[in-house]
Amino acid sequence: MLELTRPIVFFDIESTGLNVMTDRIVELALIKLHPDGTREEHLFRINPQMHIPEEVVAVHHISDEDVASEPTFKEIAHKVVAILKGSDICGYNSGHFDIPMLAEELDRSGVDFDLHKMNHIDVQGIFHKMEQRTLSAAYQFYCHKELEGAHGAMADTKATCDVLMAQLDKYATLENNVKWLSEFSQAKKSADFASRIVYDEKGREVFNFGQHKGQLVKKVLKENPNYYAWMMDKEFPADTKRVLTQIKLRMR
């Protein structure tokens, strides 16, 4: 059993696509596990206020008609924050997609909630370091079951929860500690959720993309002040822009 000092929320997102800035959430499942072993399950269907492409519907089977009468994310944002508040968080490939997408939706909704303050376990990160498979294969490998209902948010969320528990049982080298698992499951420690800015071995922020990849953010902003304005004007996630601004303010 996972040792907890505070609740942890397992979650999964289904969306209109994979672009965290232009796509929207259509389904959000959360399982909140408390230190005493009790758990809460929450499933939200969400009207994205945009068309869900047919090729995406073919994957998660959620159509425009299915969510036409559902609330928008802004209308349920306060409920989501109430579930997340005071907890840590866990997902599958969540560091690359689900958390950046959730952060963007919260930002668009005008909700002031800092996901950076939560310990984040990415079960895929542990899986790839140990076995290198997909979620369905992980579920079969660790839990010895076929994952029925894959690409449904609640089915994937329950599978993520089950896989983490099975990983803890299987690997004696894994510490039963949320903070340790959070750090272990991350491929590279990032300053922002989209990993456009990461930390080097000395804990300094460096760019992780483009012409300045591997260079210190402070050095680039000092030598090329216009680069900040360029990034703020382009389609980078709001969280990335916020982190970049915080670095720039520290330079004063």
Side-chain angles (χ1 to χ4, degrees):
M1 189 65 183
L2 181 62
E3 294 181 3
L4 300 174
T5 57
R6 64 177 185 171
I8 186 168
V9 177
F10 296 83
F11 82 115
D12 186 73
I13 283 170
E14 302 301 334
S15 63
T16 59
L18 299 177
N19 189 314
V20 300
M21 291 169 288
T22 58
D23 283 305
R24 300 291 186 270
I25 297 174
V26 297
E27 188 174 62
L28 172 63
L30 306 105
I31 297 176
K32 188 170 186 176
L33 185 62
H34 293 267
D36 64 2
T38 59
R39 56 196 279 170
E40 310 166 21
E41 295 186 5
H42 306 270
L43 180 63
F44 298 98
R45 280 284 178 93
I46 301 164
N47 184 341
Q49 298 180 292
M50 64 182 293
H51 174 59
I52 306 173
E54 284 68 24
E55 61 271 21
V56 178
V57 175
V59 175
H60 56 47
H61 308 294
I62 301 172
S63 66
D64 291 343
E65 293 75 18
D66 293 328
V67 293
S69 61
E70 300 292 346
T72 64
F73 186 89
K74 186 173 184 178
E75 290 172 325
I76 58 101
H78 65 287
K79 295 181 181 179
V80 175
V81 168
I83 296 167
L84 295 175
K85 192 172 182 180
S87 304
D88 293 314
I89 197 166
C90 178
Y92 191 89
N93 193 33
S94 45
H96 293 99
F97 176 71
D98 299 80
I99 285 183
M101 174 68 81
L102 181 58
E104 286 296 298
E105 289 280 29
L106 289 171
D107 187 79
R108 279 190 290 266
S109 299
V111 175
D112 183 18
F113 185 75
D114 190 357
L115 292 169
H116 286 285
K117 293 182 178 179
M118 308 173 78
N119 287 312
H120 164 225
I121 299 175
D122 192 332
V123 170
Q124 187 192 60
I126 296 174
F127 190 34
H128 282 185
K129 287 185 177 182
M130 296 297 191
E131 304 294 343
Q132 312 241 337
R133 303 279 178 91
T134 64
L135 177 57
S136 294
Y139 191 66
Q140 186 177 52
F141 181 86
Y142 289 110
C143 305
H144 311 292
K145 301 175 185 177
E146 293 291 333
L147 177 52
E148 298 181 4
H151 300 299
M154 185 55 76
D156 286 357
T157 300
K158 289 181 177 179
T160 297
C161 181
D162 291 343
V163 167
L164 178 60
M165 303 308 172
Q167 286 174 331
L168 288 168
D169 289 338
K170 183 176 179 64
Y171 303 115
T173 54
L174 294 180
E175 292 188 20
N176 197 334
N177 175 279
V178 170
K179 184 172 178 59
W180 187 92
L181 291 168
S182 173
E183 294 174 352
F184 179 77
S185 65
Q186 309 306 311
K188 181 179 286 189
K189 189 170 178 56
S190 302
D192 68 321
F193 293 128
S195 295
R196 297 293 191 270
I197 301 172
V198 298
Y199 295 102
D200 66 10
E201 65 281 355
K202 295 182 179 180
R204 302 172 300 182
E205 294 102 341
V206 298
F207 283 115
N208 194 36
F209 73 98
Q211 61 179 320
H212 297 301
K213 184 174 182 178
Q215 297 183 37
L216 292 173
V217 175
K218 288 184 177 179
K219 183 174 184 293
V220 173
L221 296 183
K222 183 177 180 180
E223 296 177 354
N224 184 8
N226 291 332
Y227 196 67
Y228 172 81
W230 177 81
M231 284 192 64
M232 297 302 287
D233 189 53
K234 296 297 181 180
E235 285 193 350
F236 288 97
D239 177 64
T240 300
K241 294 180 178 180
R242 188 179 299 109
V243 169
L244 184 67
T245 299
Q246 290 171 350
I247 296 171
K248 182 177 174 63
L249 290 173
R250 292 205 312 264
M251 295 171 59
R252 293 181 177 177

